[in-house]
Amino acid sequence: MLTCGMVGLPLSGKTTLFSLLTGYIPPEGKTSAIAMADVPDSRVDFLEKMYKPRKTVYGQIQVTDLAGLSEGTGKTAAFLDSIRPAHALIHVIRAFAGTFPHPLGTIDPLRDFNIVNHELLLADMALVETRLDRIKTASKIKGSAKEQLPVLEKCLQHLLEEKPMSMLQLGEDERQLLQGLVFFTDKPQLLVVNLSEEDVGKNPAWLSTLEALSNEKGWRLLALSAKIEGEISQLTPEEQSVFMKELNISEPGTALVAREAYALLGLISFFTVGSDEVRAWALKNGGTALDAARTIHSDLARGFIRADVMSYQDLKELGSETAVKEKGLAQLVGKDYVVRDGDIVHIRFNV
Ligand SMILES: Nc1nc2c(ncn2[C@@H]2O[C@H](COP(=O)(O)OP(=O)(O)O)[C@@H](O)[C@H]2O)c(=O)[nH]1
Ligand SMILES: [Mg+2]
């Protein structure tokens, strides 16, 4: 299961956003929470109208909230452990004034961005140093440890220059030697700037600076107000569209966050359709028809024969499965077929 971990200074709005994404409100003081978030998709909405199924299921991602008490107080490493297994980070940055004072006294998104990334760097450094110490203090350095030593030294040097692990060029064999070491600065980030209500729909100048920084690292940035998102989530769909028009936004920010996070994890969607269920399934980009079958059920993979595939776009444009088939746009594919985002897949199997 691919997971996004929430990260950010205390009182930045992590848990608020986590709850909006997942619908789960963690009990106060819990160390960390894990829940699934729906990934809104207008294609699923369209297919639902077309098939009128009994049940509709969106794609999902797993999200881990970070415990919120002592981050940034020197006890970071232990807190960060809960998000170490995450494949990508949702980094929440506070830009709202709010009633609770900022732990550092002032609102300064750029400073907070740097602090959190520095904490992640320190945590990685500590990881490398611990491993190096262990190898060096062992009574006898064993074969694999001896090989690991120069790679670890290389990592440490790189981190000491304040550079993230994602920027370190390593050979395949070197990567192999680092297996089992999970680095925070190797994880891609989605920056979510938690704006003041009055800044929503506007583009404050400082936001461009942060955006440039994130682009530099190949990351993505979104700006929203968790408070307003909370209000939107309480409205009926009709009220929502009126409210969002007033705010000059086209879609709830949480929907964008879920979709960006999905992409950051390298996931695409394929669909299964029918009168029983319309469903989006998350698949690692590059996955095959056999992987798709396995995603649905291990029986489908075991007894896989072939798969019927048509694209969502073709179905939408032509209006029915029959029309797509008549145009010769439906395909019968084997297990090695590489699934594309938006494929509608029907697995033929025999067990
Ligand atoms: N005004 C305002 N308050 C917010 C916003 N997001 C979160 N808060 C409040 O800030 C406090 C801390 O939020 P929380 O989500 O617990 O932050 P965490 O420590 O990062 O998990 C709570 O009282 C929230 O209600 C926001 O966008 N605007
Ligand atoms: Mg929290």
Side-chain angles (χ1 to χ4, degrees):
M1 178 70 70
L2 297 181
T3 305
C4 273
M6 312 284 304
V7 70
L9 290 182
L11 304 179
S12 54
K14 295 182 297 300
T15 303
T16 307
L17 185 62
F18 171 82
S19 296
L20 284 167
L21 286 168
T22 62
Y24 174 63
I25 300 171
E28 199 81 33
K30 198 167 180 292
T31 44
S32 84
I34 301 181
M36 301 300 292
D38 273 352
V39 181
D41 187 336
S42 59
R43 297 172 299 181
V44 174
D45 301 331
F46 181 88
L47 292 169
E48 181 180 38
K49 284 203 188 86
M50 190 163 181
Y51 287 90
K52 303 185 177 54
R54 273 189 282 279
K55 194 172 157 204
T56 303
V57 184
Y58 289 95
Q60 289 195 319
I61 52 169
Q62 193 180 56
V63 190
T64 304
D65 190 21
L66 187 70
L69 296 174
S70 304
E71 301 142 60
T73 59
K75 292 184 196 140
T76 319
F79 278 96
L80 286 175
D81 265 343
S82 62
I83 56 162
R84 198 180 287 279
H87 302 85
L89 301 174
I90 299 177
H91 179 168
V92 183
I93 300 171
R94 175 165 172 175
F96 64 90
T99 39
F100 288 83
H102 188 294
L104 300 174
T106 51
I107 304 299
D108 186 344
L110 202 57
R111 173 200 61 199
D112 294 357
F113 168 84
N114 286 324
I115 288 178
V116 170
N117 278 306
H118 190 68
E119 292 279 348
L120 298 176
L121 201 85
L122 290 178
D124 282 354
M125 233 184 266
L127 180 72
V128 176
E129 279 170 342
T130 309
R131 183 62 64 101
L132 274 171
D133 277 351
R134 207 181 314 149
I135 293 177
K136 285 178 179 166
T137 56
S139 53
K140 190 163 177 289
I141 301 180
K142 292 203 200 81
S144 66
K146 204 182 233 165
E147 285 173 26
Q148 231 185 15
L149 213 55
V151 192
L152 288 169
E153 299 281 10
K154 195 168 169 179
C155 294
L156 187 61
Q157 192 50 45
H158 180 81
L159 290 164
L160 283 169
E161 288 165 24
E162 302 264 320
K163 290 189 221 148
M165 283 300 292
S166 56
M167 280 174 58
L168 180 59
Q169 305 273 354
L170 287 173
E172 196 45 53
D173 46 338
E174 289 177 310
R175 288 253 168 226
Q176 205 69 36
L177 285 165
L178 290 178
Q179 251 187 14
L181 289 182
V182 182
F183 297 104
F184 289 111
T185 61
D186 217 4
K187 301 180 196 295
Q189 294 186 16
L190 171 60
L191 304 177
V192 179
V193 179
N194 196 0
L195 295 171
S196 279
E197 292 96 284
E198 57 277 11
D199 281 337
V200 170
K202 298 185 193 119
N203 246 343
W206 55 263
L207 199 56
S208 331
T209 316
L210 207 52
E211 192 151 33
L213 266 177
S214 91
N215 286 343
E216 223 170 76
K217 295 177 191 277
W219 298 342
R220 296 275 298 159
L221 177 143
L222 288 171
L224 52 74
S225 155
K227 187 163 186 205
I228 287 187
E229 293 295 323
E231 287 164 15
I232 292 176
S233 71
Q234 303 295 320
L235 302 174
T236 65
E238 295 76 39
E239 293 169 334
Q240 277 185 4
S241 58
V242 175
F243 188 46
M244 288 192 298
K245 204 172 245 165
E246 273 171 27
L247 291 167
N248 193 22
I249 56 178
S250 57
E251 207 181 359
T254 48
L256 296 172
V257 170
R259 272 211 302 281
E260 287 283 352
Y262 199 71
L264 202 60
L265 290 171
L267 296 172
I268 58 165
S269 294
F270 72 90
F271 306 117
T272 51
V273 296
S275 56
D276 208 44
E277 183 182 85
V278 161
R279 181 162 185 164
W281 302 85
L283 186 71
K284 190 87 189 151
N285 195 0
T288 62
L290 188 65
D291 296 325
R294 191 177 299 113
T295 304
I296 301 171
H297 198 284
S298 56
D299 281 354
L300 269 63
R302 204 150 40 86
F304 185 95
I305 303 169
R306 293 178 93 61
D308 293 297
V309 175
M310 62 177 69
S311 84
Y312 165 80
Q313 209 52 40
D314 289 341
L315 180 65
K316 189 182 175 194
E317 274 160 27
L318 298 169
S320 74
E321 288 185 27
T322 317
V324 174
K325 285 179 187 151
E326 276 168 3
K327 281 247 175 185
L329 294 170
Q331 283 178 277
L332 194 59
V333 301
K335 63 178 184 342
D336 295 329
Y337 168 81
V338 177
V339 176
R340 297 161 307 174
D341 185 45
D343 274 350
I344 295 168
V345 176
H346 177 75
I347 308 284
R348 298 191 191 179
F349 70 111
N350 182 14
V351 282

